[in-house]
Structure formats: structure tokens, C-alpha cells
Amino acid sequence: MILFSVPHSLYCAKTRILLRAKGLDWHEQPPSADRDLFAKASPFGNLPAILDGDFALSDSEAIAEYLNEAYPTPPMLPDAPAARARMRERGRFHDTRLEPAVRALFPLVAAPNPNAAAQAATAITQRLAQLAILLSHPLPFGLGDCGYAPTFLWIDLLTKDMGLSLDWPPAVRDYRAGLDSLPCVAAELSAYHPHATAWMAEKQTLRSADAQPARK
Ligand SMILES: N[C@@H](CCC(=O)N[C@@H](CS)C(=O)NCC(=O)O)C(=O)O
């Protein structure tokens, strides 16, 4: 299986956590390695995308559902319809609520803006409080959990860089500790962390370059 990815992408990290949890083998390549093949796998340019034999698919959530059906062991959705729906609700909350709130901080690494950063911190704190409510529905580790650990890592890196403080509800702290103790998550985080910090360092360099007075 080919996973089209770029090193710093958190949605690619999300997909690798699932690949690791499933015990699948994959080969990774950037879109630039074969533009035509990537265009076939991801016609609208989204990462991650996969090529499994001759089946091409993009979007981390579509990929997760596909992998769970094509490679059913271990199952990453519970059996009961209500619990399956809850798991999907948890995953959608990550992709459509928490991660977009965190994403608002990415451009601010290269171009600091304390007001925008404070607003984003308020939005993230709100999302973490909402996540604590969702977590009151206990579920085994599954599809809906795979995005959270990389996003939590980014929250740490970004808030530290910008001197922001967030309110982490105890239920979210416990959830995070539980995720980080899973082998599939721990392995991914140790592989991914250097890429995330390299991305931060690169953007910080741009910031210092911008801050230099223009040369005559
Ligand atoms: N909902 C998408 C979001 C993925 C996403 O935002 N990917 C970024 C890289 S982390 C990307 O592909 N950006 C370029 C683009 O969308 O053209 C998914 O789950 O796959």
C-alpha cells in the first residue's frame, strides 16, 4: 500500500496510527515523487491519500472507513450501532471542530499575532471542554480516536511557542494519557514529533527573517 504524505501533516499521522493499529505495511511517498499517480489517488490534492493495489482513495476519514472494512482485524468500530455512531461522532468532532481551532494557530508561527493567538486559544479551550463531554461516552480505542494524539502534540508545540495557556479538562488529560500509552500511538508520535518540531523551526526562521530590517 502506498500512503501519499508530507512529513508534517497531522492527518497523515492520523492515518498512520490506524495503519499501525491494524498491523498493516505501507510505503510512503510525497506527491512530488509521482505527480500523475498522486493526481489519480487524490484528484483534489488532499493528503493523506492511499493506493491499495489499484484502489485509490483520499480523505483520512474515508480511508479509515475503507481500511477498517478491507482489513477487519482488529476491528476499529464497536459492534452496536449506537456505539459505532458515537465513535464516528468522536472522529468527526476532531476533524471538524477541534483540529480547525488548532489550525488557526499554524500561520501565526511565521507571522505572530498575539490577538489572533489569544482568540484561537479561547476557541481551543472551548473545544477541549466540549470534547470532555463527548468523552463521557466510554468507547474502546477506535477509528474516531486516531486524530487526537497528533493534534494534542501540535497544541503543545504551538501554545508553548506563543506563550498561551489552555485549560485542559481532567477527562481530556486522562484520555490523552490513555492514547499515548497505546503502542500504535506511541510509535507514531515518536516518529512524527521530529517532523513537527522541524516544521516549527522552519516557520520560526521565516519569522526572524521577516523581523529583520530591510537591507538597503
Ligand atoms: N478532511 C481532510 C483534511 C486533510 C488536510 O487538511 N490535509 C492537508 C494536509 S494536512 C492538505 O491536504 N492540504 C492541501 C489541500 O487540501 O489541497 C482529511 O481528513 O483528509
Side-chain angles (χ1 to χ4, degrees):
M1 185 173 337
I2 296 176
L3 173 67
F4 294 93
S5 67
V6 288
H8 62 270
S9 163
L10 75 83
Y11 282 97
C12 295
K14 168 186 164 180
T15 296
R16 284 190 300 265
I17 287 174
L18 179 61
L19 289 165
R20 291 178 191 281
K22 290 275 180 191
L24 294 170
D25 285 328
W26 73 94
H27 156 79
E28 224 152 313
Q29 75 183 50
S32 58
D34 185 337
R35 288 271 169 210
D36 290 342
L37 194 60
F38 177 61
K40 186 181 154 214
S42 185
F44 50 99
N46 186 73
L47 289 168
I50 58 162
L51 191 61
D52 188 19
D54 60 3
F55 178 63
L57 187 67
S58 68
D59 189 282
S60 66
E61 210 55 21
I63 292 169
E65 293 276 354
Y66 163 73
L67 291 177
N68 195 45
E69 291 184 4
Y71 304 93
T73 309
M76 297 289 283
L77 281 172
D79 286 338
R84 293 167 82 82
R86 282 276 175 237
M87 180 59 83
R88 292 185 169 113
E89 179 186 48
R90 187 180 285 188
R92 298 306 294 155
F93 181 83
H94 171 269
D95 290 6
T96 67
R97 301 286 185 260
L98 178 62
E99 191 278 338
V102 177
R103 188 174 283 227
L105 291 174
F106 287 127
L108 307 183
V109 181
N113 178 333
N115 286 341
Q119 269 180 24
T122 303
I124 295 167
T125 294
Q126 210 170 25
R127 293 305 186 199
L128 293 176
Q130 293 163 347
L131 176 59
I133 297 168
L134 281 187
L135 293 173
S136 65
H137 306 290
L139 291 169
F141 176 71
L143 287 192
D145 297 305
C146 295
Y148 283 97
T151 294
F152 292 152
L153 169 64
W154 278 110
I155 292 176
D156 284 351
L157 295 174
L158 292 161
T159 56
K160 185 171 173 223
D161 177 69
M162 294 172 204
L164 301 167
S165 73
L166 296 184
D167 198 5
W168 287 79
V172 177
R173 283 186 193 281
D174 292 349
Y175 172 61
R176 182 179 187 179
L179 288 177
D180 290 356
S181 71
L182 298 171
C184 61
V185 173
E188 177 54 31
L189 286 184
S190 66
Y192 181 58
H193 197 143
H195 296 296
T197 51
W199 184 92
M200 290 290 295
E202 188 194 322
K203 298 296 170 187
Q204 285 161 347
T205 310
L206 294 177
R207 171 170 69 198
S208 6
D210 287 350
Q212 300 296 322
R215 287 208 184 139
K216 296 207 170 151

